[in-house]
Amino acid sequence: MKKTEEELATCEKYQRILDAAVEVIAERGYFKSPVSEIAKRAGVADGTVYLYFKSKDDVLRTAIDRTFEKFYKQIADAFVTLAGPREQLEYIALVHLESCTVNRSMAVLMQTEMRQSAKFIAEFSHHHLVKYIQMVREVVRRGQDEGIFRRDVSDGVVAHCMFGAIDELLSSAVFTGRVYDAKSTAAQVMDVLLNGITAGA
Amino acid sequence: MKKTEEELATCEKYQRILDAAVEVIAERGYFKSPVSEIAKRAGVADGTVYLYFKSKDDVLRTAIDRTFEKFYKQIADAFVTLAGPREQLEYIALVHLESCTVNRSMAVLMQTEMRQSAKFIAEFSHHHLVKYIQMVREVVRRGQDEGIFRRDVSDGVVAHCMFGAIDELLSSAVFTGRVYDAKSTAAQVMDVLLNGITAGA
Amino acid sequence: MKKTEEELATCEKYQRILDAAVEVIAERGYFKSPVSEIAKRAGVADGTVYLYFKSKDDVLRTAIDRTFEKFYKQIADAFVTLAGPREQLEYIALVHLESCTVNRSMAVLMQTEMRQSAKFIAEFSHHHLVKYIQMVREVVRRGQDEGIFRRDVSDGVVAHCMFGAIDELLSSAVFTGRVYDAKSTAAQVMDVLLNGITAGA
Amino acid sequence: MKKTEEELATCEKYQRILDAAVEVIAERGYFKSPVSEIAKRAGVADGTVYLYFKSKDDVLRTAIDRTFEKFYKQIADAFVTLAGPREQLEYIALVHLESCTVNRSMAVLMQTEMRQSAKFIAEFSHHHLVKYIQMVREVVRRGQDEGIFRRDVSDGVVAHCMFGAIDELLSSAVFTGRVYDAKSTAAQVMDVLLNGITAGA
DNA sequence: CATGAATGAGAATTCATTCAT
DNA sequence: GATGAATGAATTCTCATTCAT
């Protein structure tokens, strides 16, 4: 009986290919990462990659999707018991900055490939970004409703600023190879940002 | 008499190739932009590109270099008559956000290629970024010395936040195709950021 | 399971490509022999050549190496039962002159490519030549020790003369397309040469 | 008034291009020697080369032709006052081996390009070689007629042997960069060869 | 005569994808 | 399912030759 896509996805090889792809692409860049290299690192034959994925693009797409899913899952889980707008924003910042620690290869890949030339990636990764922005905007709006945050700043601008600021710090660390303390860095960024948007005394 | 490199650079075709490259790469991405396509768009033969540039890489490198040069030139010129730290930061933000208006293709290219897989680009574009960050850090430090800005925030973190925030707003506009008012957007971002780092009452 | 290089080398296609390359290069010369033409003659796709060889250079290098290996193997085998210096030199001359009969294309290639412009070929083929010269010198020296050959001639000069003389006869035949009797030609050359170096009565 | 080809040939630039071509080709090999490089070394524009020569091939062809002409002229001049077959052969050997001293670049070019892949060169250079061989054969035949040389060896074989032996010594010196004494080397080769063909006591 | 910018026809090589085993 | 040899389209870059100035 034919396995469904769902079942394929749980196969061990599927995951191995995904992990190998992220590693190789982080090291060499998408266009310089032959499928043969990914297959080799995954310990499978070149053709096997095509049993689990439609194309090379599909491998990368899937890897990024999975990463974002985990990211949003982690946030959602925490929000259940983390109610305050400030605390929620601080938590997002922390998880965002920790992504580097969780899976360095993926962080590199995000910083180097996500915004890049492969238009297909840029376009689909934009979806994920939109979700991030919306998530933050909602928190910001709630903070404004509750009188915690200034009402004279656009929630959209704030959300983009927050994402951009953290993303840049992450990016800078990725490129320079510098290791940083996610907690303290998150604290500093959010200190500035929250101070900037806190409803005046 | 053979033209010097300097003279070649002022040739009309040189500029046409550069412009065509930026356009094509902005549309299709660096790795999906064959030299033949760039040449066609510039209205020259494939081989002609190699009369003006050492390689495909060199075309992109040069285009980005020129853009940054103009950017820094504009800032430097303005700083002569623009002394206050707040005003200077606001000016940088404005010029940064206006880059989209000046040359949309170049803005797209910056957002898609600068951080990307071609390690060579990532590496050399990092130089330019470092210069931006340092420029902002110096202004921030001066603001701190003058008692205008909080002394308990790292000038480096502030600089990265500012670049990241603006870059992200720009990026978002570039991807969605949205047009925005640079002046007002700059004002909003800097309102939040400057408010965040202003020395407390 | 991936084939080792050893295994690849025994593959039928490997040999077909090698043979096709020798043929095409003998006909058109190395630099005028596109890989595409070699592939076509071998009945494989262009890319297939690169599954078996690192580069176009590598194909030629390998073909010449194989030929010399066979040549030296044949000599070494015969020397086991062929002791006299005169007989040994005569045998080398014979095998050298017969190379044309064994594989005409390879003989042509040797005459046209071995000394040629591709510096890489000149350099590596020099190794093979050096081996030839040393082989002859040793025989000559032994003949001198045994009092068969004149002691007042340099073994090196004799060796180069012998190689040069035979190589030129071969070359001449190759270019004119003339067929000759290897045995009788070898006899004539060696008659002159051995007579010239025989220890006087 | 249009200049004849003859007149063109006497122009100073004509000679400069010829010399530059020999130098560059000796250094880099025919196929790796762009016309632009030859033109640069000759101090003329690329296009100028085509005012004096039909094609790149034509430059090389002409350079080799001129060299052989000089070679045969020198031999012919000397033969007027040099009558004996032994002395004549010894003179040819000497001039042949001295070619390296006279114009090293040309000697290199001869050894690397003359027999090579460019079929056109192989074919036309063969003409020159044929002339060399015939010249020697005539001398040998006269020596046989005069009873100086053995009658039981083919004049053709002797001629090829002589050319081949000397050519190989030259070639070896060219490749290794070794400098040798033309006079003494010529003496050694001809000692062996003449001894080998001298009519027995 | 001389120039050298422009051309465009190749040439070597890579690699995503397929398919017979 | 799994394999990996084979394919051939696509790409970058070179350089002989031309021709407008």
Side-chain angles (χ1 to χ4, degrees):
Chain A
M1 199 184 310
K2 264 207 168 161
K3 285 198 183 172
T4 63
E5 240 177 71
E6 197 89 345
E7 286 167 323
L8 263 183
T10 61
C11 172
E12 182 224 8
K13 273 179 189 168
Y14 178 89
Q15 195 55 48
R16 280 215 320 263
I17 293 167
L18 232 31
D19 293 343
V22 170
E23 264 186 44
V24 176
I25 295 172
E27 279 170 28
R28 314 177 35 162
Y30 182 72
F31 288 104
K32 295 282 183 68
S33 295
V35 171
S36 60
E37 181 62 28
I38 294 170
K40 197 210 259 176
R41 182 99 47 126
V44 300
D46 294 14
T48 304
V49 172
Y50 290 85
L51 294 177
Y52 294 93
F53 300 93
K54 273 192 289 296
S55 64
K56 186 182 161 186
D57 285 4
D58 190 34
V59 180
L60 183 49
R61 221 192 311 262
T62 306
I64 294 180
D65 279 348
R66 291 274 175 287
T67 301
F68 273 104
E69 278 164 20
K70 273 188 231 152
F71 179 75
Y72 292 122
K73 175 86 170 54
Q74 187 179 351
I75 306 275
D77 287 354
F79 274 24
V80 174
T81 59
L82 198 72
R86 302 182 75 99
E87 289 72 27
Q88 289 190 339
L89 292 188
E90 278 165 344
Y91 187 74
I92 292 174
L94 181 64
V95 176
H96 190 168
L97 275 162
E98 269 173 348
S99 66
C100 204
T101 323
V102 175
N103 186 344
R104 185 168 185 83
S105 287
M106 179 50 88
V108 171
L109 191 154
M110 291 285 205
Q111 295 305 327
T112 54
E113 304 297 323
M114 252 191 59
R115 297 194 168 186
Q116 63 120 305
S117 49
K119 268 294 156 58
F120 83 89
I121 298 182
E123 271 152 30
F124 102 99
S125 75
H126 186 68
H127 283 298
H128 294 301
L129 182 53
V130 164
K131 199 172 165 186
Y132 183 110
I133 297 296
Q134 281 177 331
M135 191 172 65
V136 176
R137 289 178 75 166
E138 276 162 32
V139 179
V140 171
R141 269 198 301 266
R142 204 152 43 75
Q144 291 174 324
D145 290 346
E146 296 178 10
I148 300 173
F149 298 152
R150 294 165 53 187
R151 284 200 177 80
D152 64 339
V153 292
S154 147
D155 52 320
V157 168
V158 172
H160 281 291
C161 285
M162 176 170 156
F163 172 81
I166 296 171
D167 190 56
E168 162 57 22
L169 281 162
L170 191 51
S171 178
S172 161
V174 157
F175 276 122
T176 58
R178 181 163 26 88
V179 265
Y180 59 86
D181 178 53
K183 221 166 209 147
S184 126
T185 308
Q188 288 188 69
V189 188
M190 296 314 288
D191 175 22
V192 170
L193 192 71
L194 291 174
N195 192 41
I197 65 173
T198 294
Chain B
M1 184 96 57
K2 271 222 165 130
K3 283 195 184 173
T4 63
E5 243 175 68
E6 198 88 343
E7 286 166 325
L8 265 183
T10 60
C11 170
E12 182 225 346
K13 265 176 197 166
Y14 178 88
Q15 197 55 50
R16 267 199 351 246
I17 293 166
L18 229 34
D19 293 343
V22 170
E23 265 185 42
V24 176
I25 295 173
E27 277 170 32
R28 315 177 35 160
Y30 183 72
F31 288 104
K32 292 283 183 67
S33 296
V35 171
S36 60
E37 181 61 30
I38 294 170
K40 197 206 272 179
R41 180 96 50 123
V44 299
D46 293 15
T48 304
V49 172
Y50 292 88
L51 289 180
Y52 294 92
F53 300 93
K54 273 190 288 296
S55 64
K56 188 183 160 188
D57 284 5
D58 189 36
V59 181
L60 181 51
R61 217 193 312 264
T62 304
I64 295 180
D65 279 348
R66 289 274 176 288
T67 303
F68 273 103
E69 278 164 19
K70 274 187 230 151
F71 180 76
Y72 291 123
K73 176 86 169 54
Q74 189 178 351
I75 306 274
D77 287 353
F79 274 24
V80 173
T81 59
L82 198 71
R86 301 184 77 97
E87 290 71 28
Q88 289 190 341
L89 291 188
E90 278 165 344
Y91 188 73
I92 293 173
L94 181 63
V95 177
H96 191 167
L97 276 161
E98 269 174 346
S99 65
C100 204
T101 323
V102 175
N103 185 344
R104 182 166 187 85
S105 287
M106 180 50 89
V108 172
L109 191 154
M110 291 287 203
Q111 295 304 327
T112 54
E113 305 298 324
M114 252 191 58
R115 298 191 167 186
Q116 61 119 305
S117 51
K119 280 284 157 61
F120 85 88
I121 299 181
E123 270 154 31
F124 101 97
S125 74
H126 186 69
H127 281 298
H128 294 301
L129 181 53
V130 164
K131 198 170 166 186
Y132 184 108
I133 297 296
Q134 280 178 333
M135 189 172 66
V136 176
R137 289 179 75 169
E138 275 163 32
V139 179
V140 171
R141 270 200 300 264
R142 202 150 46 75
Q144 290 175 324
D145 290 345
E146 298 178 7
I148 300 172
F149 297 153
R150 292 167 54 188
R151 285 200 178 81
D152 63 340
V153 292
S154 147
D155 52 320
V157 168
V158 171
H160 280 290
C161 285
M162 174 171 160
F163 172 81
I166 297 170
D167 190 57
E168 163 57 24
L169 280 161
L170 192 51
S171 177
S172 161
V174 156
F175 278 121
T176 58
R178 179 165 26 90
V179 264
Y180 59 89
D181 178 52
K183 221 166 206 147
S184 126
T185 308
Q188 289 187 67
V189 188
M190 296 314 287
D191 175 21
V192 169
L193 191 72
L194 291 174
N195 192 39
I197 65 173
T198 294
Chain C
M1 185 95 59
K2 271 218 165 136
K3 285 196 185 172
T4 62
E5 242 176 70
E6 197 89 342
E7 287 166 323
L8 264 183
T10 61
C11 171
E12 182 224 343
K13 264 174 198 167
Y14 177 89
Q15 197 55 50
R16 273 209 334 257
I17 293 166
L18 229 34
D19 293 343
V22 170
E23 265 184 44
V24 176
I25 295 172
E27 277 171 30
R28 314 176 37 159
Y30 183 72
F31 288 103
K32 291 283 184 66
S33 295
V35 171
S36 60
E37 181 61 29
I38 294 170
K40 198 206 271 179
R41 180 95 50 122
V44 299
D46 294 15
T48 304
V49 172
Y50 291 87
L51 289 180
Y52 294 91
F53 300 94
K54 274 191 286 297
S55 63
K56 188 183 161 186
D57 284 5
D58 190 35
V59 180
L60 182 51
R61 219 193 311 264
T62 304
I64 294 181
D65 279 347
R66 289 273 176 288
T67 302
F68 273 104
E69 278 164 20
K70 274 187 231 153
F71 179 74
Y72 290 121
K73 177 85 171 55
Q74 188 178 350
I75 307 273
D77 286 354
F79 273 24
V80 174
T81 59
L82 198 72
R86 301 183 77 97
E87 290 71 28
Q88 289 190 339
L89 292 187
E90 278 165 344
Y91 187 73
I92 293 173
L94 181 63
V95 176
H96 191 166
L97 276 162
E98 270 174 346
S99 66
C100 203
T101 324
V102 175
N103 185 343
R104 185 170 184 81
S105 286
M106 179 51 86
V108 172
L109 192 154
M110 292 285 203
Q111 296 304 326
T112 54
E113 303 298 323
M114 254 191 57
R115 299 193 167 186
Q116 63 121 298
S117 51
K119 279 285 156 61
F120 86 90
I121 299 181
E123 269 154 31
F124 102 98
S125 75
H126 186 68
H127 281 297
H128 293 302
L129 181 54
V130 164
K131 200 172 165 185
Y132 184 110
I133 296 296
Q134 280 178 333
M135 192 172 64
V136 176
R137 289 178 75 170
E138 276 163 33
V139 179
V140 170
R141 270 200 301 263
R142 203 151 46 73
Q144 291 174 323
D145 290 346
E146 297 178 9
I148 300 172
F149 297 152
R150 290 165 56 187
R151 286 198 177 81
D152 64 339
V153 292
S154 147
D155 53 320
V157 168
V158 171
H160 280 290
C161 285
M162 175 172 159
F163 172 82
I166 297 172
D167 191 57
E168 164 57 23
L169 280 162
L170 191 51
S171 177
S172 161
V174 156
F175 277 121
T176 58
R178 181 166 24 91
V179 264
Y180 59 88
D181 178 52
K183 219 164 210 148
S184 125
T185 309
Q188 288 187 69
V189 187
M190 296 315 286
D191 175 22
V192 169
L193 192 71
L194 291 174
N195 191 40
I197 65 173
T198 294
Chain D
M1 200 184 308
K2 264 208 169 158
K3 283 197 183 174
T4 64
E5 240 175 70
E6 197 87 347
E7 286 167 323
L8 261 185
T10 59
C11 171
E12 181 223 9
K13 273 180 190 169
Y14 178 88
Q15 195 55 47
R16 278 214 322 262
I17 293 167
L18 233 32
D19 293 343
V22 171
E23 263 185 46
V24 175
I25 295 172
E27 278 170 29
R28 315 177 35 161
Y30 183 72
F31 288 103
K32 295 282 185 65
S33 295
V35 171
S36 60
E37 182 62 29
I38 294 170
K40 197 210 260 178
R41 182 100 47 126
V44 300
D46 295 12
T48 304
V49 172
Y50 290 85
L51 293 176
Y52 294 92
F53 301 92
K54 271 192 290 296
S55 64
K56 187 183 161 187
D57 285 3
D58 189 35
V59 180
L60 182 50
R61 219 192 312 263
T62 306
I64 294 180
D65 280 348
R66 290 275 176 288
T67 302
F68 273 105
E69 279 164 18
K70 274 187 231 153
F71 179 76
Y72 291 123
K73 175 87 169 52
Q74 187 179 352
I75 306 274
D77 287 353
F79 274 22
V80 174
T81 59
L82 198 71
R86 301 183 76 99
E87 290 70 27
Q88 289 190 340
L89 292 188
E90 278 166 344
Y91 187 73
I92 293 174
L94 181 64
V95 177
H96 190 167
L97 276 163
E98 269 174 347
S99 66
C100 204
T101 323
V102 175
N103 185 344
R104 183 166 187 86
S105 286
M106 180 49 89
V108 171
L109 191 153
M110 291 286 204
Q111 295 305 326
T112 55
E113 304 297 323
M114 250 191 60
R115 298 193 166 186
Q116 61 118 310
S117 50
K119 270 293 157 59
F120 82 88
I121 298 181
E123 270 152 31
F124 101 97
S125 74
H126 186 69
H127 283 299
H128 294 301
L129 182 54
V130 164
K131 198 170 168 186
Y132 184 109
I133 297 296
Q134 281 178 332
M135 189 172 66
V136 176
R137 287 179 75 170
E138 277 163 30
V139 179
V140 171
R141 270 201 300 266
R142 203 150 46 73
Q144 290 175 325
D145 291 347
E146 297 179 8
I148 300 173
F149 298 151
R150 290 166 53 187
R151 285 199 176 80
D152 63 341
V153 291
S154 147
D155 53 318
V157 169
V158 171
H160 281 291
C161 285
M162 176 170 157
F163 172 81
I166 297 171
D167 190 56
E168 163 57 22
L169 281 161
L170 193 51
S171 178
S172 162
V174 158
F175 277 122
T176 58
R178 182 162 26 90
V179 266
Y180 59 89
D181 178 54
K183 221 167 209 145
S184 127
T185 308
Q188 287 187 67
V189 187
M190 296 315 287
D191 176 21
V192 169
L193 192 72
L194 291 174
N195 192 40
I197 64 173
T198 294

